[in-house]
C-alpha cells in the first residue's frame, strides 16, 4: 500500500488515470524534475505538495503529513514524537470507523440487532480494508506490524 512518497505518486497516477509522471507533475502544478527528485529520494515533497498528492491518491491527508514528517525528521526523538502522533490518529480513526460501521449495520449490539462486539470489529475491518488500507509503512512507523482494529 502507501509505504512511501513513490507509493503515493503511483496511487495518485492510478486514481487520476494519469499515464506518466509528467502528467502528475502537471496535475500538481510542479516541474517534472521535482517528481523525478522525489522518486530518487533526493528530497521529500513540501507539506502542501504532500497534502495535494494525498488528495489525488485518495489517501488520508493527515496521515500523509505525519508520515512525511517522520521521513524527513533528522533525529530519533523527533521521529518518535511523530510516531506517537500517528498512533493517536490511527486510534481515533479506528473508533470513527467502528462507530460508522455500527450505524451502517443497524446500530450497536444493544440496539436489538444482536451484533456481538466481534461482529462489529470484523465489520469495521472489512470496511476499513476496502476503503482505507492501513499501509505496512504506517505499521512499521508505529513500531509493530499490526492492524488498526484487531480481529
Amino acid at each position: 500500500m502507501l509505504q512511501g512518497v513513490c507509493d503515493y505518486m503511483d496511487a495518485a497516477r492510478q486514481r487520476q488515470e494519469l499515464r506518466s509522471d509528467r502528467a502528475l507533475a502537471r496535475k500538481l502544478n510542479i516541474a517534472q524534475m521535482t517528481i523525478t527528485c522525489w522518486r530518487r529520494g533526493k528530497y521529500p515533497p513540501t507539506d502542501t505538495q504532500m497534502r495535494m498528492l494525498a488528495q489525488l491518491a485518495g489517501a488520508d491527508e493527515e496521515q500523509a503529513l505525519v508520515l512525511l514528517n517522520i521521513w524527513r525528521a533528522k533525529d530519533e526523538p523527533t521521529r518518535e514524537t511523530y510516531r506517537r502522533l500517528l498512533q493517536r490518529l490511527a486510534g481515533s480513526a479506528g473508533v470513527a470507523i467502528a462507530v460508522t460501521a455500527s450505524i451502517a449495520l443497524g446500530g450497536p449490539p444493544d440496539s436489538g440487532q444482536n451484533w456481538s462486539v466481534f461482529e462489529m470489529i470484523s465489520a469495521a475491518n472489512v470496511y476499513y480494508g476496502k476503503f482505507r488500507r492501513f499501509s505496512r509503512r504506517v505499521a512499521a512507523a508505529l513500531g509493530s506490524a499490526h492492524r488498526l482494529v484487531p480481529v
Side-chain angles (χ1 to χ4, degrees):
M1 287 308 158
L2 304 179
Q3 298 177 5
V5 177
C6 291
D7 293 326
Y8 276 92
M9 289 189 292
D10 293 340
R13 280 183 51 187
Q14 183 178 14
R15 186 165 188 257
Q16 299 297 316
E17 298 178 0
L18 303 173
R19 291 184 157 187
S20 65
D21 283 348
R22 184 178 187 188
L24 178 62
R26 273 192 239 128
K27 191 86 166 172
L28 291 169
N29 200 25
I30 59 175
Q32 182 181 352
M33 186 53 110
T34 302
I35 297 284
T36 303
C37 289
W38 292 351
R39 284 218 184 266
R40 292 182 180 167
K42 288 192 175 190
Y43 57 82
T46 64
D47 291 343
T48 304
Q49 292 166 336
M50 189 66 189
R51 189 180 49 76
M52 290 174 20
L53 191 56
Q55 286 174 351
L56 292 175
D60 185 357
E61 294 174 43
E62 292 87 1
Q63 190 177 70
L65 288 173
V66 173
L67 281 171
L68 174 65
N69 283 295
I70 289 172
W71 300 331
R72 67 182 177 195
K74 302 281 187 218
D75 58 8
E76 192 54 39
T78 304
R79 276 189 218 97
E80 188 55 39
T81 301
Y82 281 115
R83 285 184 187 114
R84 286 193 306 271
L85 179 60
L86 186 61
Q87 195 167 18
R88 286 185 198 154
L89 281 173
S92 63
V95 170
I97 290 167
V99 169
T100 303
S102 73
I103 291 168
L105 295 170
D110 59 350
S111 68
Q113 296 293 327
N114 296 325
W115 285 94
S116 71
V117 174
F118 176 75
E119 289 170 323
M120 288 184 65
I121 291 172
S122 294
N125 273 334
V126 168
Y127 173 85
Y128 192 79
K130 285 184 179 175
F131 300 106
R132 289 289 205 180
R133 300 270 183 211
F134 193 65
S135 72
R136 284 179 248 135
R137 177 68 178 229
V138 174
L142 295 174
S144 63
H146 59 78
R147 288 190 176 162
L148 179 62
V149 181
V151 179

